[in-house]
């Protein structure tokens, strides 16, 4: 069962889908999970793959488009503000706590890729979240800093100059998350398997969606560069934690970051490494997603 909803978020609204078990109206309040999805994705993509499977196993699952993206409101478009992404999760919880049929004392979060970092960052201070699940979690700030050839300080100087030029021109610049085609990637010398699989997922009929623009407002990068998704997690994120990782270590950093999170967390409960899986194969390959969701279902059943 799928309900299309809107989440009030101050002066704007977020577009959301609530996936419910078929017997959702049997009178027993349901546990629920808010999904925090990868950067650049919309609710119909990776989030839907996980949310629908959780619902089929008896857990209500809410997936939404972040502010400024997809069907959600917010200007400017294509902004990736990590702090607002965390606030989005809390606004989603606000709505769930007042939704009939949902148990407000049994709400968890599931973060995937960059959404895993956002979920952890939010759970540190929003203790309405009772359990934290992550799949191939990425600390997006650390990832972006790592990919700066001359270091993050030089990159921030260049971003400052770019924003000044934007202000003078009255325009906002955007950059691609990924090359739009495999040919573009090859021309840029990006032939590694992770980039190839990311493009094959996001930029083809396999996983692409018309509202997933593949564009990021350039000014987002200054915010991301100074962001640490795991800051104070070792002191504040007391909730039970599950970490699910892809066994094939690639260039996304999710394996190392997941292990770092596992070691940092005060209450790590379950660690799963899926042999043979790559980062982007965890988005939609049925065997890998099903294995992850089975483990997540058990985790939430025991901790919500």
């Amino acid at each position: 069962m799928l309900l299309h909803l809107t989440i009030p978020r101050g002066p704007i609204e977020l577009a959301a889908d609530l996936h419910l078990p078929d017997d959702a109206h049997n009178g027993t309040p349901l546990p629920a999970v808010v999904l925090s999805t990868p950067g650049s994705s919309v609710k119909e993509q990776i989030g839907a793959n996980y949310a629908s499977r959780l619902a089929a196993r008896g857990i209500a699952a809410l997936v939404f488009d972040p502010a400024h993206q997809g069907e959600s409101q917010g200007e400017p478009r294509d902004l990736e503000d990590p702090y607002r992404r965390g606030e989005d999760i809390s606004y989603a919880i606000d709505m769930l706590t007042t939704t009939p049929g949902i148990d407000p004392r049994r709400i968890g979060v599931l973060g995937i890729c960059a959404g895993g970092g956002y979920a952890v960052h939010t759970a540190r201070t929003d203790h309405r979240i009772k359990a934290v699940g992550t799949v191939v979690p990425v600390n997006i700030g650390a990832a972006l800093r790592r990919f700066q050839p001359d270091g993050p300080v030089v990159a921030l100087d260049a971003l400052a100059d770019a924003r000044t030029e934007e202000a003078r021109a009255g325009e906002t610049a955007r950059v691609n998350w990924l090359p739009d085609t495999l040919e573009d990637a090859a021309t840029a010398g990006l032939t590694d398997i992770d980039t190839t699989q990311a493009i094959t997922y996001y930029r083809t009929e396999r996983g692409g969606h018309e509202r997933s623009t593949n564009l990021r407002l350039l000014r987002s990068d200054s915010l991301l560069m100074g962001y640490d998704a795991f800051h104070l997690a070792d002191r504040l994120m007391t909730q039970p934690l599950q970490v699910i990782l892809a066994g094939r270590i690639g260039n996304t950093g999710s394996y190392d970051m997941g292990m770092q999170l596992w070691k940092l967390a005060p209450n790590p409960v379950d660690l799963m490494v899926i042999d043979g899986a790559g980062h982007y194969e965890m988005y939609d390959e049925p065997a890998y997603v099903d294995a992850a969701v089975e483990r997540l279902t058990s985790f939430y059943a025991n901790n919500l």
Side-chain angles (χ1 to χ4, degrees), residues 79-80 141 144-145 147-168 171-175 216-227:
L79 177 67
E80 183 76 9
L144 189 62
R145 290 189 293 273
F147 281 110
Q148 303 310 311
D150 298 315
V153 174
V154 172
L156 284 167
D157 289 342
L159 287 166
D161 291 340
R163 179 130 184 194
T164 297
E165 290 303 313
E166 285 183 10
R168 288 172 177 167
E171 299 174 352
T172 51
R174 287 168 170 77
V175 294
R216 182 177 72 253
L217 205 65
L218 182 59
R219 65 180 59 173
S220 306
D221 288 12
S222 299
L223 300 171
L224 295 167
M225 205 80 71
Y227 179 73

Side-chain angles (χ1 to χ4, degrees), residues 257-280:
M257 292 177 191
M259 288 298 187
Q260 177 194 11
L261 174 61
W262 178 255
K263 293 173 183 176
L264 278 174
N267 191 10
V269 169
D270 187 43
L271 173 66
M272 180 185 193
V273 179
I274 299 183
D275 291 338
H279 181 102
Y280 295 99

Side-chain angles (χ1 to χ4, degrees), residues 33 35 50 54 57 59 109-112 131-135 242-244 270 272 282 289-304:
V33 170
L35 281 91
Y50 279 82
L54 288 170
R57 291 162 175 79
I59 300 171
V109 68
L110 170 59
I112 304 165
V132 180
T134 63
V135 175
Q242 176 162 51
V243 176
I244 298 178
D270 187 43
M272 180 185 193
M282 293 301 302
V289 176
D290 286 341
V293 172
E294 285 295 335
R295 194 74 161 251
L296 287 161
T297 301
S298 177
F299 169 73
Y300 291 126
N302 291 330
N303 293 284
L304 288 181

Side-chain angles (χ1 to χ4, degrees), residues 188-222:
L190 302 172
T191 57
D192 62 278
I193 189 171
D194 284 311
T195 299
T196 299
Q197 289 187 343
I199 294 168
T200 302
Y201 178 79
Y202 277 114
R203 307 309 297 163
T204 70
E205 291 184 1
R206 172 184 160 193
H209 192 278
E210 61 184 354
R211 287 190 292 274
S212 178
T213 66
N214 195 35
L215 294 174
R216 182 177 72 253
L217 205 65
L218 182 59
R219 65 180 59 173
S220 306
D221 288 12
S222 299

Side-chain angles (χ1 to χ4, degrees), residues 1-303:
M1 186 186 309
L2 180 63
L3 299 179
H4 301 295
L5 306 171
T6 56
I7 300 171
R9 192 200 193 289
I12 67 171
E13 292 182 335
L14 306 181
D17 288 337
L18 180 60
H19 295 253
L20 293 168
D22 289 337
D23 61 350
H25 301 298
N26 67 1
T28 303
L30 292 166
V33 170
V34 175
L35 281 91
S36 176
T37 52
S40 85
S41 71
V42 293
K43 63 186 180 301
E44 292 83 4
Q45 295 176 306
I46 304 97
N49 291 337
Y50 279 82
S52 60
R53 285 171 166 83
L54 288 170
R57 291 162 175 79
I59 300 171
L62 180 70
V63 60
F64 60 88
D65 287 338
H68 309 273
Q69 300 175 29
E71 286 187 302
S72 290
Q73 296 174 347
E75 296 291 341
R77 304 306 294 168
D78 301 316
L79 177 67
E80 183 76 9
D81 181 335
Y83 304 98
R84 289 182 70 79
R85 287 289 304 261
E87 290 174 354
D88 290 342
I89 297 170
S90 289
Y91 278 103
I93 294 170
D94 289 345
M95 193 195 73
L96 278 180
T97 59
T98 60
T99 299
I102 302 297
D103 189 338
R105 298 161 300 178
R106 301 172 68 199
I107 295 176
V109 68
L110 170 59
I112 304 165
C113 190
Y118 297 145
V120 167
H121 204 252
T122 305
R124 300 169 317 133
T125 53
D126 192 337
H127 283 201
R128 295 176 301 174
I129 297 170
K130 301 304 181 185
V132 180
T134 63
V135 175
V136 292
V138 168
N139 180 346
I140 193 169
L144 189 62
R145 290 189 293 273
R146 188 180 67 175
F147 281 110
Q148 303 310 311
D150 298 315
V153 174
V154 172
L156 284 167
D157 289 342
L159 287 166
D161 291 340
R163 179 130 184 194
T164 297
E165 290 303 313
E166 285 183 10
R168 288 172 177 167
E171 299 174 352
T172 51
R174 287 168 170 77
V175 294
N176 274 32
W177 284 93
L178 295 165
D180 281 315
T181 66
L182 292 174
E183 292 74 19
D184 289 347
T187 299
L190 302 172
T191 57
D192 62 278
I193 189 171
D194 284 311
T195 299
T196 299
Q197 289 187 343
I199 294 168
T200 302
Y201 178 79
Y202 277 114
R203 307 309 297 163
T204 70
E205 291 184 1
R206 172 184 160 193
H209 192 278
E210 61 184 354
R211 287 190 292 274
S212 178
T213 66
N214 195 35
L215 294 174
R216 182 177 72 253
L217 205 65
L218 182 59
R219 65 180 59 173
S220 306
D221 288 12
S222 299
L223 300 171
L224 295 167
M225 205 80 71
Y227 179 73
D228 182 357
F230 300 162
H231 179 58
L232 294 178
D234 56 332
R235 296 173 61 186
L236 301 179
M237 196 189 73
T238 56
Q239 300 95 325
L241 170 73
Q242 176 162 51
V243 176
I244 298 178
L245 302 175
R248 179 176 59 74
I249 300 174
N251 65 8
T252 66
S254 61
Y255 185 92
D256 290 341
M257 292 177 191
M259 288 298 187
Q260 177 194 11
L261 174 61
W262 178 255
K263 293 173 183 176
L264 278 174
N267 191 10
V269 169
D270 187 43
L271 173 66
M272 180 185 193
V273 179
I274 299 183
D275 291 338
H279 181 102
Y280 295 99
E281 291 172 318
M282 293 301 302
Y283 286 7
D284 72 332
E285 286 290 342
Y288 299 143
V289 176
D290 286 341
V293 172
E294 285 295 335
R295 194 74 161 251
L296 287 161
T297 301
S298 177
F299 169 73
Y300 291 126
N302 291 330
N303 293 284

